[in-house]
Structures are given as C-alpha cells and as structure tokens.
Amino acid sequence: MANTSTKKSSTSTTTSQTKPPSSSPSSSYVATLSAWLIVLVVGPVGVAVLLYGAHGFDRGPWSSRAVPMSNRHLLAASERLGDGLLPEPEDLAYDADEGVIYTGCGDGWIKRVAVAGEETSVTVENWTYVGGRPLGVALGADKELIVADPPKRLLRATRGAVDILLTDEAGPVKFGLTDGVDVARNGTIYFTDASYKFKAEDGMFDFLKCQPHGRLMSFDPQTNLTQVLLHDLYFANGVALSPHHDFLVFCETPLRRCRKYHIQGGKKGSVEDFIDNLPGYPDNIRYDGEGHFWVALFAGRTLSWTIQMRYPIVRKAIMILERFVKVPHVQLDAGVLSVSLEGQAIALYSDPALSFVTGGIKIGRHLYYVSLVESFIGRLDLAQHPARAA
C-alpha cells in the first residue's frame, strides 16, 4: 500500500508539471516584455537612486497656508472665449484703452482678443507672429508689446511687425528660459530668466531639481543696459509692478512663494518675503489696478506634488525614468489666487479638473485666465460665482 500510494503521488505531480499553461502565447509575450521593461527601466533607476541618493536636488516646502475665501468650480462655471482659436495661451496683458487682451500662444502668434463691453461673443485676431514660444507679455510705454520668448529672449513687438530683440544676455550669461515680464511707467522692463541652465523644453527638469538657477533682471531701453537684480532664484517666474511702481513682486514656482523687490525708497535694492506657502505652484502674476495681485497657480498642492517636492529622491527617480519612458506630470486643481498689496491671501478660484493655469487677471467684474493645455480664455463672472468662506 505504501508503494502504491507513493507511485500515485509521483504520477499526480508529474501530470501537474506537464499540464500546458492556460495563458495564450500573446499574454505570455506581454508578461515577458513587461518583465524586461521592469529590469531595463526600474532596475537602473533603483540602482542609481541607491548609489547616488538625491544629491543636487533641494527639498520643497511642506506646509500650505489657509485661504479664507474660495470657489472650487472655476472651470465648470466659466465661459470659454475664442475656444479653439487660442492654442496653449500662456499669459495675459490687458489694454484698458482699447478693451483688448493680448496673449502669447503655442503656435508662435501673439493673439489679440477684444473683450470691450464684456459681451459673450469676442473677436480673436492674429496680431503678430514671433515664431518662438511667447510666454510673458506686457504693454510697453508706447503700446508696443514686450514679450518674453525663451528661444528668442526679450522682444519688442508691434502689430504685424517682425519682433525686435532687446536683450539676450546679462553678465555675460545668455538667458535660458526668459519667462515673466512687466513694464514700468518710465519704460524700464523688469523680467525673469527662470533658468540660465535649462532651456524651455527642459524646464520641468529645472523645476524637479529645485535648484537656484533663476534671475530677476531689468532692461533700460534708453541705455540698452541689462542688469541682474537678483541671482540664485528658484525657477523665477511671473513679475508684477505695484501701483506706485515702488516695488515689484515675482514668483518662485517650486518653493510656492512670491517675494518683493524694492525699486525705490529707503529699501531700494532689497528683497523680502511677500507671500509663501501658497496653496499651489505660482506662475505669472498680474496687478488689477484695484488693490489686488492675481497669482496663477499651474497646479494645486495635490498629494502627488506634495510627496515629490518633499522628497527629492522621488523627483530624481522621475527624472531618471524620463530618460526611458514618458512620465505623466499631473497638474490638477489649478486656479488663480487673489492677494492683497500687503501679501495676504484673499480668495482662491480653482477647479479639481483644471490644470496648467499660467495667467489670470480681474477686469471689471470678471476673472480672465488661461491654461497651457486649453485653447481658450476662461472668463468667470465674479458677481454670479463669488468666492465664499472656506
């Protein structure tokens, strides 16, 4: 009996081992391919992270300030002006005399959008083709448009005219990612170079590294002098002058803060904090002429971004992975934050479904904003859809 039992057990084991697999050849191929991808991609990433750690990556802020008022339905409640005619708009410059908004688009055109009277239907025209990637835009003293364009640096543009290069280097370092811009009444142009080390197409790498490669600069069109006002900024982004032009506010995106640089008075040349621990990552900033700055937040402080910015090693792993595969960067819960002249957060207009908001400004009773992944200017009626106590 014992021998019979042993034989049966052996037969059963043999049958089990020789039974053909239930999976199809195609699923076997997919499994094998997936395994190789894990070995070839995740393996080197893990080894690199273990060997080298996160050297060269700085840690971002952890906490976030509370905002007393909010509207969490910005996208859902907005009109879409010029939908389909404004590919990847970046920034907004408003000409109150003519009732038009200028914005630089991903197709290389500066578009002009008529919003006089705030009617539902608007006119969109191709105003000037600069051919690069226009980012920050601001009206000059003579109604010309000053354009921050990373491939072409700092430009002056007029209707239908070929762009004119104003400056492309300082100190004598070439600009890498010319970004935000504003113009003072005396004609002085203030602008940022988000990163002298990385070009526009690699800007996300600079952001992920969270290293101080940015600069705040000025350009005097009377003397053609370009000056570096501040060095060692963390992805220096939008710029906006105060009502009396005695100071300006600029954004440092990965640190989720805006800082104040004094242009006049006893503090001239000094810098201090304006508002920090923002509820998102700031991009461009605009003053509305009514006592408020409007800070565009290209992404909210979501869990994924909080983890990435808190732990540099995660960002390094993502950068290594991107050498092999395209890693999606989810910039959700974007919007626009209203801030007082004293640096106090007033109201946040955002939407969980909104991403890459790079510009916003209040005109009349409306908030206008743009997103890099949309093809319209959003317009929210603040009277009908106000921010309420959070």
Side-chain angles (χ1 to χ4, degrees), residues 69-224:
M69 308 282 286
S70 68
N71 178 336
R72 298 274 291 148
H73 307 285
L74 176 58
L75 180 63
S78 295
E79 304 171 69
R80 302 187 176 198
L81 308 183
D83 198 359
L85 301 176
L86 300 163
E88 303 170 8
E90 158 73 17
D91 190 17
L92 299 170
Y94 178 56
D95 184 345
D97 294 334
E98 296 192 30
V100 296
I101 289 175
Y102 295 90
T103 186
C105 294
D107 58 3
W109 278 93
I110 301 293
K111 312 274 187 173
R112 193 168 105 145
V113 183
V115 294
E118 300 179 345
E119 64 274 14
T120 301
S121 61
V122 299
T123 302
V124 176
E125 64 172 311
N126 291 333
W127 188 70
T128 295
Y129 182 70
V130 298
R133 191 5 175 150
L135 297 181
V137 290
L139 281 175
D142 298 318
K143 296 290 186 176
E144 76 279 15
L145 203 66
I146 306 302
V147 183
D149 187 311
K152 298 191 172 185
R153 279 68 181 209
L154 192 68
L155 311 173
R156 180 173 66 232
T158 55
R159 177 190 287 274
V162 176
D163 50 275
I164 300 170
L165 175 65
L166 296 175
T167 178
D168 62 356
E169 66 179 21
V173 180
K174 288 281 187 181
F175 307 154
L177 211 170
T178 324
D179 203 330
V181 62
D182 205 356
V183 183
R185 284 185 287 267
N186 64 5
T188 302
I189 300 167
Y190 296 93
F191 64 104
T192 56
D193 184 16
S195 173
Y196 66 81
K197 187 172 183 178
F198 289 87
K199 306 301 181 186
E201 57 271 21
D202 298 320
M204 185 56 73
F205 288 159
D206 189 279
F207 181 90
L208 289 173
K209 285 180 73 68
C210 194
Q211 289 280 292
H213 301 139
R215 297 177 291 174
L216 173 67
M217 291 173 286
S218 67
F219 174 77
D220 186 343
Q222 302 299 319
T223 62
N224 289 328

Side-chain angles (χ1 to χ4, degrees), residues 371-389:
S371 162
L372 281 183
V373 294
E374 304 293 355
S375 59
F376 59 82
I377 292 177
R379 180 167 69 182
L380 180 75
D381 190 320
L382 296 173
Q384 292 183 9
H385 306 282
R388 303 187 184 280

